[in-house]
Amino acid sequence: PAFLPSPSLIEINNVVQVFGQVARTTIGVSGLSKIVSLPDATVVSKQGALIFRNIVVTHPIGTLMVRLCLDINKGGGDASLMGVILCASLIHHSLRLIHEEGLHPILLFDGYMQCLPEILSVIDSLRIPLKEEKETYQKIANSVMLPKLLSHKKSLELSQICASACSTSSSDDLSEPEITVLPLPGGKTEL
């Protein structure tokens, strides 16, 4: 190695990896729910904001990871766990480059900023055109709602309602949508 990692870098990496692991094991349809102990109840949830909002954190980097999740959740919610995973991966690989290659953190930041346009271009190229069919709308709605509901049946019922609303929309002018989705970050859906 170019230099020995300081105990503080090892600690930062360990904290970040704990948050990344919690997010990784929670995300997706087959992700594991977490038991969250609230003052008035115990809740089983896969919602990143609910999980991270209720973790008692004393380490400053852990506090930043919680803020990251909660801030992403304010903007719409569904990407909060992905943000934590991405951040954990970037920090882990950055610390590895600092340790093994002796790179200065400012050089890493500059490198990330130079790569940003290419990264955004690749993400844009991964977009899949949406088939405007009721079945497609239902699959999208179900994948968004399923983690927020403990009942697969309720998720299917709600996704059918959403799909019907989307498929009956008659406007071709997307500048003024007939259907508006209002995110309720960290909220729960009841039927």
Side-chain angles (χ1 to χ4, degrees):
F3 67 92
L4 295 174
S6 68
S8 61
L9 287 180
I10 293 170
E11 186 178 352
I12 288 169
N13 188 51
N14 290 342
V15 169
V16 166
Q17 292 316 304
V18 166
F19 279 87
Q21 190 61 26
V22 168
R24 267 185 216 94
T25 58
T26 304
I27 203 161
V29 176
S30 59
L32 303 172
S33 295
K34 305 294 184 243
I35 298 174
V36 181
S37 182
L38 302 173
D40 57 342
T42 300
V43 178
V44 177
S45 179
K46 291 176 68 173
Q47 295 177 16
L50 178 66
I51 295 166
F52 286 108
R53 184 183 309 119
N54 292 288
I55 293 177
V56 177
V57 180
T58 57
H59 195 280
I61 298 297
T63 303
L64 288 174
M65 296 296 282
V66 169
R67 286 296 337 143
L68 169 72
C69 181
L70 297 178
D71 287 348
I72 291 172
N73 192 59
K74 284 180 188 174
D78 288 332
S80 58
L81 290 174
M82 290 299 290
V84 170
I85 293 168
L86 178 61
C87 183
S89 295
L90 284 172
I91 291 173
H92 174 73
H93 290 290
S94 295
L95 291 175
R96 186 184 58 77
L97 289 171
I98 291 169
H99 169 65
E100 292 177 7
E101 305 294 328
L103 293 179
H104 193 278
I106 292 175
L107 285 175
L108 287 171
F109 176 78
D110 289 345
Y112 286 142
M113 294 311 292
Q114 286 178 6
C115 293
L116 183 59
E118 180 65 23
I119 291 168
L120 294 175
S121 173
V122 168
I123 290 172
D124 259 357
S125 74
L126 296 175
R127 287 185 182 176
I128 299 170
L130 181 65
K131 294 179 183 176
E132 295 191 23
E133 299 170 350
K134 188 173 180 178
E135 183 181 326
T136 303
Y137 293 137
Q138 186 171 345
K139 285 179 183 177
I140 292 169
N142 193 47
S143 70
V144 170
M145 285 187 271
L146 189 55
K148 301 205 182 302
L149 298 166
L150 292 177
S151 166
H152 184 68
K153 181 182 177 195
K154 288 181 181 180
S155 178
L156 285 175
E157 290 174 26
L158 282 174
S159 64
Q160 287 172 349
I161 293 168
C162 291
S164 292
C166 290
S167 61
T168 57
S169 175
S170 60
S171 176
D172 290 333
D173 178 16
L174 297 178
S175 63
E176 297 209 19
E178 293 180 28
I179 300 169
T180 303
V181 178
L182 300 174
L184 180 59
K188 62 181 182 179
T189 310
E190 292 185 20
L191 185 62

PDB file of all heavy atoms in Angstrom, residues 1-6 9 97-103:
ATOM      1  N   PRO A   1       0.818  -1.199   0.000  1.00  0.00           N
ATOM      2  CA  PRO A   1       0.000   0.000   0.000  1.00  0.00           C
ATOM      3  C   PRO A   1       0.857   1.257   0.000  1.00  0.00           C
ATOM      4  O   PRO A   1       1.956   1.258   0.516  1.00  0.00           O
ATOM      5  CB  PRO A   1      -0.826  -0.105   1.256  1.00  0.00           C
ATOM      6  CG  PRO A   1      -0.397  -1.328   1.973  1.00  0.00           C
ATOM      7  CD  PRO A   1       0.611  -2.032   1.166  1.00  0.00           C
ATOM      8  N   ALA A   2       0.298   2.343  -0.543  1.00  0.00           N
ATOM      9  CA  ALA A   2       1.015   3.612  -0.595  1.00  0.00           C
ATOM     10  C   ALA A   2       1.237   4.161   0.810  1.00  0.00           C
ATOM     11  O   ALA A   2       2.261   4.749   1.090  1.00  0.00           O
ATOM     12  CB  ALA A   2       0.250   4.610  -1.436  1.00  0.00           C
ATOM     13  N   PHE A   3       0.255   3.992   1.686  1.00  0.00           N
ATOM     14  CA  PHE A   3       0.412   4.382   3.085  1.00  0.00           C
ATOM     15  C   PHE A   3      -0.604   3.610   3.908  1.00  0.00           C
ATOM     16  O   PHE A   3      -1.565   3.058   3.374  1.00  0.00           O
ATOM     17  CB  PHE A   3       0.260   5.894   3.274  1.00  0.00           C
ATOM     18  CG  PHE A   3      -1.130   6.406   3.009  1.00  0.00           C
ATOM     19  CD1 PHE A   3      -2.051   6.516   4.036  1.00  0.00           C
ATOM     20  CD2 PHE A   3      -1.516   6.777   1.728  1.00  0.00           C
ATOM     21  CE1 PHE A   3      -3.325   6.986   3.803  1.00  0.00           C
ATOM     22  CE2 PHE A   3      -2.788   7.250   1.481  1.00  0.00           C
ATOM     23  CZ  PHE A   3      -3.702   7.349   2.515  1.00  0.00           C
ATOM     24  N   LEU A   4      -0.346   3.536   5.197  1.00  0.00           N
ATOM     25  CA  LEU A   4      -1.264   2.809   6.068  1.00  0.00           C
ATOM     26  C   LEU A   4      -2.488   3.664   6.350  1.00  0.00           C
ATOM     27  O   LEU A   4      -2.367   4.857   6.620  1.00  0.00           O
ATOM     28  CB  LEU A   4      -0.558   2.445   7.378  1.00  0.00           C
ATOM     29  CG  LEU A   4       0.605   1.465   7.246  1.00  0.00           C
ATOM     30  CD1 LEU A   4       1.299   1.303   8.590  1.00  0.00           C
ATOM     31  CD2 LEU A   4       0.123   0.129   6.728  1.00  0.00           C
ATOM     32  N   PRO A   5      -3.658   3.069   6.275  1.00  0.00           N
ATOM     33  CA  PRO A   5      -4.866   3.859   6.546  1.00  0.00           C
ATOM     34  C   PRO A   5      -4.915   4.249   8.021  1.00  0.00           C
ATOM     35  O   PRO A   5      -4.547   3.478   8.888  1.00  0.00           O
ATOM     36  CB  PRO A   5      -5.997   2.911   6.178  1.00  0.00           C
ATOM     37  CG  PRO A   5      -5.426   1.554   6.294  1.00  0.00           C
ATOM     38  CD  PRO A   5      -3.956   1.681   5.982  1.00  0.00           C
ATOM     39  N   SER A   6      -5.379   5.447   8.240  1.00  0.00           N
ATOM     40  CA  SER A   6      -5.499   5.901   9.624  1.00  0.00           C
ATOM     41  C   SER A   6      -6.701   5.216  10.265  1.00  0.00           C
ATOM     42  O   SER A   6      -7.624   4.784   9.574  1.00  0.00           O
ATOM     43  CB  SER A   6      -5.683   7.415   9.659  1.00  0.00           C
ATOM     44  OG  SER A   6      -6.934   7.755   9.112  1.00  0.00           O
ATOM     45  N   LEU A   9      -9.968   6.645   9.012  1.00  0.00           N
ATOM     46  CA  LEU A   9     -10.441   6.194   7.700  1.00  0.00           C
ATOM     47  C   LEU A   9     -11.076   4.810   7.788  1.00  0.00           C
ATOM     48  O   LEU A   9     -12.093   4.542   7.147  1.00  0.00           O
ATOM     49  CB  LEU A   9      -9.307   6.181   6.675  1.00  0.00           C
ATOM     50  CG  LEU A   9      -8.820   7.522   6.160  1.00  0.00           C
ATOM     51  CD1 LEU A   9      -7.694   7.339   5.150  1.00  0.00           C
ATOM     52  CD2 LEU A   9      -9.956   8.315   5.551  1.00  0.00           C
ATOM     53  N   LEU A  97      -8.868   3.653  -2.895  1.00  0.00           N
ATOM     54  CA  LEU A  97      -7.923   4.348  -3.772  1.00  0.00           C
ATOM     55  C   LEU A  97      -6.972   5.246  -2.975  1.00  0.00           C
ATOM     56  O   LEU A  97      -5.793   5.362  -3.306  1.00  0.00           O
ATOM     57  CB  LEU A  97      -8.676   5.165  -4.821  1.00  0.00           C
ATOM     58  CG  LEU A  97      -9.374   4.357  -5.910  1.00  0.00           C
ATOM     59  CD1 LEU A  97     -10.275   5.260  -6.754  1.00  0.00           C
ATOM     60  CD2 LEU A  97      -8.362   3.631  -6.776  1.00  0.00           C
ATOM     61  N   ILE A  98      -7.471   5.872  -1.928  1.00  0.00           N
ATOM     62  CA  ILE A  98      -6.613   6.694  -1.069  1.00  0.00           C
ATOM     63  C   ILE A  98      -5.555   5.814  -0.411  1.00  0.00           C
ATOM     64  O   ILE A  98      -4.368   6.139  -0.394  1.00  0.00           O
ATOM     65  CB  ILE A  98      -7.453   7.447  -0.009  1.00  0.00           C
ATOM     66  CG1 ILE A  98      -8.306   8.524  -0.686  1.00  0.00           C
ATOM     67  CG2 ILE A  98      -6.561   8.049   1.070  1.00  0.00           C
ATOM     68  CD1 ILE A  98      -9.363   9.127   0.235  1.00  0.00           C
ATOM     69  N   HIS A  99      -5.995   4.664   0.083  1.00  0.00           N
ATOM     70  CA  HIS A  99      -5.093   3.753   0.788  1.00  0.00           C
ATOM     71  C   HIS A  99      -4.131   3.042  -0.167  1.00  0.00           C
ATOM     72  O   HIS A  99      -2.921   3.068   0.033  1.00  0.00           O
ATOM     73  CB  HIS A  99      -5.900   2.727   1.583  1.00  0.00           C
ATOM     74  CG  HIS A  99      -5.098   1.593   2.121  1.00  0.00           C
ATOM     75  ND1 HIS A  99      -4.125   1.765   3.067  1.00  0.00           N
ATOM     76  CD2 HIS A  99      -5.110   0.265   1.829  1.00  0.00           C
ATOM     77  CE1 HIS A  99      -3.572   0.593   3.331  1.00  0.00           C
ATOM     78  NE2 HIS A  99      -4.159  -0.326   2.601  1.00  0.00           N
ATOM     79  N   GLU A 100      -4.645   2.400  -1.200  1.00  0.00           N
ATOM     80  CA  GLU A 100      -3.804   1.565  -2.067  1.00  0.00           C
ATOM     81  C   GLU A 100      -2.996   2.358  -3.090  1.00  0.00           C
ATOM     82  O   GLU A 100      -1.873   1.994  -3.412  1.00  0.00           O
ATOM     83  CB  GLU A 100      -4.671   0.529  -2.782  1.00  0.00           C
ATOM     84  CG  GLU A 100      -5.253  -0.505  -1.844  1.00  0.00           C
ATOM     85  CD  GLU A 100      -6.177  -1.490  -2.549  1.00  0.00           C
ATOM     86  OE1 GLU A 100      -6.270  -1.458  -3.790  1.00  0.00           O
ATOM     87  OE2 GLU A 100      -6.809  -2.290  -1.827  1.00  0.00           O
ATOM     88  N   GLU A 101      -3.582   3.417  -3.624  1.00  0.00           N
ATOM     89  CA  GLU A 101      -2.917   4.176  -4.683  1.00  0.00           C
ATOM     90  C   GLU A 101      -2.306   5.483  -4.191  1.00  0.00           C
ATOM     91  O   GLU A 101      -1.580   6.143  -4.933  1.00  0.00           O
ATOM     92  CB  GLU A 101      -3.907   4.486  -5.820  1.00  0.00           C
ATOM     93  CG  GLU A 101      -4.599   3.267  -6.406  1.00  0.00           C
ATOM     94  CD  GLU A 101      -3.641   2.327  -7.124  1.00  0.00           C
ATOM     95  OE1 GLU A 101      -2.645   2.809  -7.696  1.00  0.00           O
ATOM     96  OE2 GLU A 101      -3.905   1.113  -7.090  1.00  0.00           O
ATOM     97  N   GLY A 102      -2.630   5.859  -2.970  1.00  0.00           N
ATOM     98  CA  GLY A 102      -2.104   7.097  -2.428  1.00  0.00           C
ATOM     99  C   GLY A 102      -2.701   8.351  -3.058  1.00  0.00           C
ATOM    100  O   GLY A 102      -2.106   9.422  -3.013  1.00  0.00           O
ATOM    101  N   LEU A 103      -3.884   8.225  -3.656  1.00  0.00           N
ATOM    102  CA  LEU A 103      -4.525   9.374  -4.289  1.00  0.00           C
ATOM    103  C   LEU A 103      -5.030  10.355  -3.233  1.00  0.00           C
ATOM    104  O   LEU A 103      -5.523   9.954  -2.178  1.00  0.00           O
ATOM    105  CB  LEU A 103      -5.683   8.930  -5.171  1.00  0.00           C
ATOM    106  CG  LEU A 103      -5.321   8.112  -6.411  1.00  0.00           C
ATOM    107  CD1 LEU A 103      -6.571   7.721  -7.171  1.00  0.00           C
ATOM    108  CD2 LEU A 103      -4.382   8.881  -7.323  1.00  0.00           C
TER     109      LEU A 103
END
